[in-house]
Amino acid sequence: MKTIVITGGAGFIGNHVVRLFVNKYPDYRIINVDKLTYAGNLANLKDVEHSPNYEFRRIDICDFDTVYSLMRDEQVSGIVHLAAESHVDRSIKDPFSFAQTNVMGTLSLLQSARMYWESLPEKYDGKNFYHISTDEVYGALILNRPDGDGHGNGPYGDDLFTEENKYMPHSPYSASKASSDHFVRAFHDTYGMPTIITNCSNNYGPYQFPEKLIPLFINNIRNRKPLPVYGKGENVRDWLYVEDHARAIDLIFHNGIPGETYNIGGFNEKKNIDVVKTMVKIVDRLLGRAENEDENLITFVTDRAGHDLRYAIDASKLNRHLGWKPQVNFDEGIELTVKWYLDNEEWMNNVTSGDYQRYYESMYGKR
Ligand code: NAD
Ligand code: TYD
């Protein structure tokens, strides 16, 4: 039985990856390693928590001794590394915790894996260190077709991020992710560790912490609270439904070539203001309110510092090499997402009230 560690499995993307692996691979033992920060919530995994091939360990990835012992004692042969501090606005306020978890935590995992795998007779044979990163490491693209006339590669510009793009991070979050990517590549180039890196665009879907645009705004529309759109809402993001990302991770973990980087994206660029108006429309319809009744909640606020104008991913390498493409288009995905948050009010209340954190403190003690 293969033992695979998934870090950050209690977070937004992580829970979808854990669920997919636990259900699809009964012959793997999946260990979810998560510190349970504010963004980690085991309620996200209720449906698989009693599966015989699933275990949870509350571990801080920065704690090298504990991570190394886990690797050795559990004979871990693969790592899917998602644990991170992930919110740009928080990174602007507290860059240290981003450097700590995203850089030092990744290094602690890399070094633990290296020491354990190099001690084995077969060394790196059959091993895999898969690091999940972001398109934000590439910096910002320009918006050279503000009206989105739909010609060329993307609706808002010809240039898309490819795997060849230079790293040019602007926020402390993206700088910390860029740094961790460099360490992962260095472990491949220096020690021959089989590593894979993927850089993905903005994800959306169920179980996302309501500090990010989509769940925050759905909840605010429901509760008729203001929708704080940064700047003029002109920034463009490339949105990918989270289950499509999880399927890509599964495919790449099993079939990707060690040492390679793959971009993952939705081919789905949208201006923030258009995403916000779409959410207003759907929430109002599903709650039986008058059409666009809640558009007046839109409030333009001071722009985010260093706010990247446009991200757009060219995911054609992944399609050419491994045949991946997204299965859920934005219209379908955003409808599913809005419905999920409206149907799961208890989950949202538990998260926004902080009750889930008090529960973990009672179980595991204060952090
Ligand atoms: P998230 O913030 O929802 O979840 C992060 C998880 O990591 C949480 O469960 C948290 O408890 C855990 N964690 C944080 N610090 C830890 C530590 N020191 N030790 C152990 N666990 C720790 O994040 P997400 O949105 O699910 O993102 C997951 C990964 O995907 C991140 O690496 C992020 O950079 C990357 N990514 C995210 C997106 C996106 O749109 N959300 C897009 C591309 C890439
Ligand atoms: P976010 O969900 O934080 O993801 P990221 O910063 O990783 O792209 O933000 C998505 C976009 O929405 C980004 O351009 C910032 C914008 N935004 C707002 O306009 N208002 C908000 O309250 C938030 C959280 C984000």
Side-chain angles (χ1 to χ4, degrees):
M1 196 180 215
K2 259 186 161 180
T3 301
I4 311 290
V5 160
I6 299 179
T7 70
F12 164 49
I13 302 171
N15 82 78
H16 293 277
V17 178
V18 167
R19 181 173 298 103
L20 180 65
F21 276 57
V22 165
N23 290 331
K24 189 168 169 186
Y25 302 107
D27 53 333
Y28 289 1
R29 186 158 69 110
I30 303 298
I31 306 181
N32 173 13
V33 166
D34 199 299
K35 180 182 171 185
L36 299 181
T37 68
Y38 78 93
N41 185 357
L42 289 176
N44 299 351
L45 286 162
K46 275 245 159 302
D47 53 330
V48 291
E49 68 185 359
H50 299 302
S51 302
N53 61 339
Y54 171 75
E55 280 170 46
F56 170 67
R57 302 288 175 89
R58 191 187 197 213
I59 293 173
D60 182 340
I61 55 164
C62 302
D63 176 354
F64 171 78
D65 291 339
T66 306
V67 175
Y68 175 66
S69 303
L70 177 84
M71 293 292 301
R72 189 195 51 210
D73 298 347
E74 305 302 340
Q75 298 174 20
V76 175
S77 64
I79 300 180
V80 184
H81 173 37
L82 295 116
E85 288 294 337
S86 69
H87 190 42
V88 174
D89 293 325
R90 284 181 191 255
S91 82
I92 294 169
K93 294 197 188 98
D94 172 23
F96 281 111
S97 58
F98 283 70
Q100 178 66 15
T101 286
N102 298 0
V103 186
M104 295 307 288
T106 300
L107 186 54
S108 149
L109 276 176
L110 283 163
Q111 182 73 348
S112 305
R114 177 171 92 84
M115 283 175 55
Y116 169 55
W117 290 341
E118 284 190 353
S119 74
L120 300 172
E122 79 278 13
K123 300 203 183 298
Y124 289 126
D125 219 22
K127 309 297 185 298
N128 192 356
F129 189 106
Y130 179 1
H131 175 64
I132 309 298
S133 192
T134 169
D135 59 357
E136 306 193 24
V137 299
Y138 296 126
L141 296 167
I142 56 167
L143 223 174
N144 61 12
R145 268 201 296 275
D147 298 327
D149 65 5
H151 297 297
N153 283 328
Y156 293 108
D158 298 324
D159 49 343
L160 306 177
F161 295 133
T162 72
E163 291 80 0
E164 309 306 318
N165 266 73
K166 282 211 175 90
Y167 273 33
M168 264 206 272
H170 295 126
S171 72
Y173 163 65
S174 52
S176 68
K177 292 296 291 187
S179 173
S180 64
D181 293 10
H182 290 318
F183 272 106
V184 174
R185 217 164 268 128
F187 267 62
H188 172 265
D189 296 349
T190 306
Y191 307 110
M193 185 187 279
T195 62
I196 295 180
I197 300 173
T198 54
N199 298 89
C200 187
S201 62
N202 283 61
N203 285 215
Y204 69 103
Y207 300 110
Q208 189 168 29
F209 194 83
E211 63 187 349
K212 303 272 168 69
L213 180 78
I214 289 185
L216 175 72
F217 278 33
I218 295 170
N219 197 37
N220 283 8
I221 302 165
R222 176 184 21 215
N223 295 312
R224 294 216 159 100
K225 287 192 189 156
L227 307 175
V229 174
Y230 299 157
K232 295 192 182 117
E234 294 284 299
N235 303 63
V236 171
R237 298 291 181 264
D238 173 1
W239 294 97
L240 178 69
Y241 192 63
V242 64
E243 288 181 0
D244 272 326
H245 190 188
R247 283 187 279 269
I249 290 172
D250 173 26
L251 181 70
I252 294 163
F253 181 74
H254 290 95
N255 300 294
I257 298 168
E260 286 289 337
T261 290
Y262 302 93
N263 281 352
I264 310 175
F267 297 103
N268 184 44
E269 289 180 61
K270 301 269 177 219
K271 282 188 183 181
N272 290 342
I273 191 66
D274 295 334
V275 173
V276 172
K277 286 184 177 166
T278 302
M279 290 191 285
V280 168
K281 208 181 268 309
I282 300 174
V283 175
D284 282 349
R285 173 167 48 76
L286 292 176
L287 293 181
R289 297 177 184 171
E291 199 177 338
N292 298 328
E293 182 178 340
D294 290 315
E295 266 200 19
N296 61 3
L297 297 173
I298 294 174
T299 312
F300 293 98
V301 299
T302 310
D303 210 352
R304 174 187 274 172
H307 196 176
D308 287 334
L309 188 53
R310 173 173 166 251
Y311 303 139
I313 278 278
D314 178 350
S316 60
K317 173 177 169 184
L318 183 55
N319 181 261
R320 280 194 312 278
H321 287 212
L322 300 178
W324 179 86
K325 55 175 196 266
Q327 293 177 16
V328 181
N329 69 36
F330 189 73
D331 289 346
E332 214 183 318
I334 194 71
E335 180 86 21
L336 285 171
T337 302
V338 172
K339 253 182 130 320
W340 189 88
Y341 287 100
L342 295 182
D343 289 347
N344 288 274
E345 205 169 349
E346 200 185 320
W347 179 91
M348 182 60 88
N349 291 341
N350 195 26
V351 171
T352 47
S353 67
D355 281 351
Y356 71 116
Q357 291 271 286
R358 283 185 277 282
Y359 173 67
Y360 298 133
E361 273 177 22
S362 72
M363 271 170 72
Y364 299 104
K366 270 201 190 310
R367 268 186 301 276

